[in-house]
Amino acid sequence: MNTRSGPPESLNLNVRGMRPSATVAINEHSNALIAAGQTVYKLGLGQSPFPVPPAVVEALRQHAHRKEYMPVRGLAELRTAVAEFHRRRAGLSWHFEADDVLVAPGSKELMFLVQLAFYGDLLLPSPSWVSYSPQAQIIGRQVNFLPTRAEDRWMLRPDTLDEHCRRDRGRPRILILNYPSNPTGQTFSADELAALAVVAREHQLIVISDEIYGELHHEGAHRSIAEFYPEGTILSSGLSKWCGAGGWRLGTFLFPPQLRWLRDAMAAVASETYTTTSAPIQCAAVTAFACGPEIEEYLVRARQILRALGTWSSKRLLAAGALCHRPEGGFYLFPDFQGHAARLRERGINDGEALCERLLAETGVAILPGSDFGRPRGDWTARLAYVDFEGEAALTEVARAPSIALDEAWLRRMTPRVTTAIDRMCDWLGK
């Protein structure tokens, strides 16, 4: 038996103590509990409940034989489709070309590359998606969380952004805005985006507009800050949320001409890291971003289901004493349980982290604390993803009877795991 010790531990200081992504970790933990025979309601990982549209699946099947290395920046036909998709969807008035697009194996990879290539601070509203800040930590960038308030629907205010930027004028910064938001389900109005754009322009910020949930705006009325700040905005999207293809791993960035220097630097780094994105996936993505009639109908039905379920869930939690805004897009809620704090402390639960642990242990409902999304440790917020249902069956039901009311009875029949999970949360809070 070899008893020699291995090489000494010599971890990069930036990753020492780093835990796996909270959303990935809660999903794997939930699956392990289920494998052990426990009942778990998976409201932790934000994976689309809907299938990939059949037309996109068929496009993948037709191109499965493609095995060549694609261009580093992505298939030209796909980049053209992405540019047109954003021009059409975001209401952009100027012409984009294929050269303005960068394709990668997931928008998460692009978020990492842009922070690696750009030298400057990262600005994030609190709360924000779980991986923005850890990526900056890996690279060694300064992260500044900008406060938000429940009464503002947890959305960043222009005066908050302006106040922060005035403290150290001229400092290079990237601001990431994700809307409709993961984790809150809220989004910006056109007026709110225009006001933020004024501040961003004054302080010459680069804005990464993460619009991966844009097509899941519950009213189909998504707007982009790129309308108001085109010269400084990078538009981010992908296939994971609105197209239901998270595991396919394809993300896109659309750059304005003024930021081609950053696009070129990111492409250079890409050539030395992942090289290119899967050829069959890129070919299938052309069909996805073209958004033909079949995909348009798919999106209308998906929005209808998510709007009904999100509205019902938020009202149920609100009635149970949680502060919970009605979601405007995506499939997330961000309830605040501060109103239950005194009674929860009597049960030995002293913050949102403990709340989520006990909730899973005592009800089987898996959600994440707000602290995983940049909220201060010790507050009472949490994020839940109302996605634990059979999306394909729900879409089929809506297609079969388009005029049917998606009322509580329909939701309990077609999304029983989510409605049961919300019921269990509310009953547990009312103990």
Side-chain angles (χ1 to χ4, degrees), residues 350-373:
N350 295 312
D351 53 31
E353 292 88 345
L355 182 151
C356 292
E357 291 174 4
R358 287 279 290 275
L359 186 69
L360 177 58
E362 297 177 14
T363 71
V365 177
I367 63 175
L368 289 169
S371 57
D372 285 337
F373 300 85

Side-chain angles (χ1 to χ4, degrees), residues 40 51 68 83 90 92 100 111 127-128 136 142 164 172 194 196 220 223 226-227 241 245 256 259 307 340 344 383 402:
V40 177
E68 71 271 28
L92 305 181
D100 298 312
M111 293 289 177
S128 284
Q142 175 72 32
H164 176 85
L196 285 168
R223 300 290 293 272
E227 294 180 54
K241 307 305 179 184
L259 295 180
R307 179 173 62 245
H340 287 275
L344 289 167
R383 191 211 72 172

Side-chain angles (χ1 to χ4, degrees), residues 112 123 150 167 277 342 405 425:
F112 184 79
L123 304 183
R167 291 175 193 161
T277 305
M425 287 181 64

